[in-house]
Amino acid sequence: MIITLRAARVNRNMTLLEASKYLKINKDTLTKYERDSSDIPYSLSKRMQELYEVPAENLFFGDVNTFVAHFKPLPEL
């Protein structure tokens, strides 16, 4: 299963402020990466994997709109 960074944070019951403090980044920066993590630094992605307890292969790194378009379930006919 692949999830977004925001979903990983929410699954850990963390607010933006809590996660950003642990990650040592501004909460606005975290919000930006939750929308589009295409250019996220490797060291930050590793800290997120540790914090959220989710391996890299289960995290979606990219534009959230792409995630929704690619992984959103199709409506039943």
Side-chain angles (χ1 to χ4, degrees):
M1 173 185 268
I2 298 175
I3 62 173
T4 64
L5 295 176
R6 181 179 184 277
R9 176 179 56 77
V10 170
N11 286 344
R12 292 283 290 159
N13 295 316
M14 297 188 81
T15 66
L16 275 167
L17 190 57
E18 291 168 333
S20 65
K21 282 182 181 180
Y22 177 88
L23 297 167
K24 297 179 178 145
I25 59 175
N26 186 286
K27 71 179 180 71
D28 294 334
T29 303
L30 180 55
T31 299
K32 178 190 136 210
Y33 284 133
E34 286 186 353
R35 281 193 311 264
D36 185 357
S37 56
S38 300
D39 63 346
I40 193 169
Y42 178 75
S43 60
L44 180 56
S45 72
K46 290 296 288 177
R47 288 195 312 267
M48 287 178 167
Q49 292 168 53
E50 292 169 6
L51 176 62
Y52 302 147
E53 297 181 347
V54 178
E57 59 267 13
N58 294 100
L59 286 174
F60 178 79
F61 292 101
D63 185 333
V64 153
N65 293 325
T66 302
F67 177 85
V68 171
H70 189 264
F71 293 103
K72 184 177 178 184
L74 297 174
E76 293 185 31
L77 299 176

